[in-house]
Amino acid sequence: LCALGNIASAEMCRALAREVERMMQSTNPYIRKKAALCASRIVRKVEEIEDKFNGRVGSLLEDRNHGVLISGCCLLTTLLEINPDYVRDFRRHIPTLARALRNVGTPGYANASEYNIAGITDPFLQAKILRLLRILGTGSVDASDEMNDILAQVATNTEGAKNTGNAILYECVLTIMSIEAESGLRALGVNILGRFLLSRDNNIRYVALATLQRVVGIDSKAVQRHRPTIIECLKDSDISIRRRSLEVAFALIND
């Protein structure tokens, strides 16, 4: 499976795609994981056979194994990037993804100690699910409604003292701003970026300013509340931060 995913030609991928699909049902979770990862590579190489794996995605997303779930998210993300027409079909899996994200945040999560990084449980899985929800929720009010609660939960409960937590919060904000979120949730997202602006870490402040620039067009009122902090960034010693804050300040100018 590793060799097929990495070095196989398009002809080999076509010939063995059915075999890879069969291995996604293996009793061994490690094989299921590798089969899903191999499938996402095959789909990138041979676009016309991407629908061969569509029927298996649901079982991967409901798998209790961390590795299988994260590789299932990778496969679905790849499918949706290659063919956005599938988004409507796969929106039915939003409750499954929301449940998986909610489980990660519960104290009794099975892999809590094994995948804990700087006090955040399974951050790589959380980031993958948040990116996938972003694709599924874009342009649909109903789909966005289904994920509003879990996004609010992640945004409220994630500790932002370390970079690991900030990475999750950043992904969460991008998702909130990309979907048809409620105004209260959008304000919560902008407030998180406002907290980033108060950080001493230049990278975090730069990311916050770059994201605020994208958000201004979506919710200008919420960004206006952080204007004093943005103006303060114009005095920063770092030229890249000064340039970014100038662009955001310019975008905020109204009558």
Side-chain angles (χ1 to χ4, degrees):
L1 284 168
C2 289
L4 183 63
N6 284 308
I7 61 173
S9 63
E11 288 75 21
M12 275 181 77
C13 290
R14 282 192 196 94
L16 293 169
R18 188 64 65 197
E19 197 65 24
V20 173
E21 186 196 1
R22 190 179 61 76
M23 286 189 174
M24 286 186 196
Q25 298 170 281
S26 167
T27 53
N28 184 336
Y30 188 72
I31 301 290
R32 294 201 298 276
K33 177 183 92 167
K34 287 293 181 186
L37 290 175
C38 180
S40 62
R41 297 282 180 88
I42 288 175
V43 166
R44 287 192 190 281
K45 288 181 185 180
V46 192
E47 290 185 13
E48 69 266 21
I49 63 167
E50 80 262 6
D51 57 343
K52 273 210 171 38
F53 304 112
N54 286 12
R56 297 276 170 245
V57 170
S59 59
L60 294 172
L61 296 180
E62 289 175 6
D63 205 294
R64 297 178 68 83
N65 181 278
H66 153 92
V68 179
L69 178 52
I70 202 167
S71 52
C73 289
C74 288
L75 174 57
L76 182 50
T77 304
T78 305
L79 287 170
L80 298 179
E81 284 171 352
I82 286 172
N83 193 339
D85 293 343
Y86 291 149
V87 171
R88 192 173 287 124
D89 292 340
F90 283 111
R91 280 183 177 141
R92 66 182 186 275
H93 296 300
I94 290 173
T96 305
L97 291 165
R99 189 167 60 248
L101 198 52
R102 193 172 283 112
N103 288 344
V104 173
T106 56
Y109 181 59
N111 302 311
S113 57
E114 194 177 350
Y115 298 113
N116 184 307
I117 300 175
I120 303 293
T121 306
D122 223 339
F124 288 99
L125 178 61
Q126 288 194 57
K128 280 270 187 280
I129 294 175
L130 286 166
R131 282 179 194 167
L132 191 46
L133 289 175
R134 191 182 316 159
I135 298 171
L136 293 169
T138 303
S140 168
V141 176
D142 292 341
S144 301
D145 282 345
E146 287 187 87
M147 57 183 82
N148 272 331
D149 288 349
I150 186 62
L151 290 175
Q153 189 179 316
V154 172
T156 310
N157 297 344
T158 304
E159 185 60 54
K162 301 252 176 69
N163 249 359
T164 322
N166 287 332
I168 302 298
L169 288 171
Y170 175 61
E171 291 293 344
C172 190
V173 170
L174 288 184
T175 302
I176 289 168
M177 294 306 169
S178 299
I179 67 170
E180 308 297 315
E182 299 164 346
S183 57
L185 190 57
R186 278 208 301 267
L188 178 61
V190 174
N191 288 343
I192 290 170
L193 294 176
R195 283 211 309 274
F196 281 3
L197 280 181
L198 299 173
S199 169
R200 291 182 178 179
D201 187 315
N202 278 4
N203 291 327
I204 293 174
R205 284 185 9 249
Y206 184 87
V207 163
L209 287 165
T211 314
L212 280 170
Q213 195 179 352
R214 288 164 60 181
V215 170
V216 169
I218 302 168
D219 196 340
S220 181
K221 269 189 186 168
V223 181
Q224 285 283 8
R225 293 192 200 108
H226 300 280
R227 193 169 57 193
T229 321
I230 294 164
I231 301 300
E232 197 60 34
C233 289
L234 288 168
K235 302 172 188 170
D236 199 273
S237 57
D238 189 317
I239 180 69
S240 59
I241 296 218
R242 290 206 302 275
R243 190 177 290 137
R244 273 289 179 208
S245 52
L246 186 61
E247 286 168 358
V248 178
F250 186 75
L252 280 175
I253 294 171
N254 54 24
D255 294 342

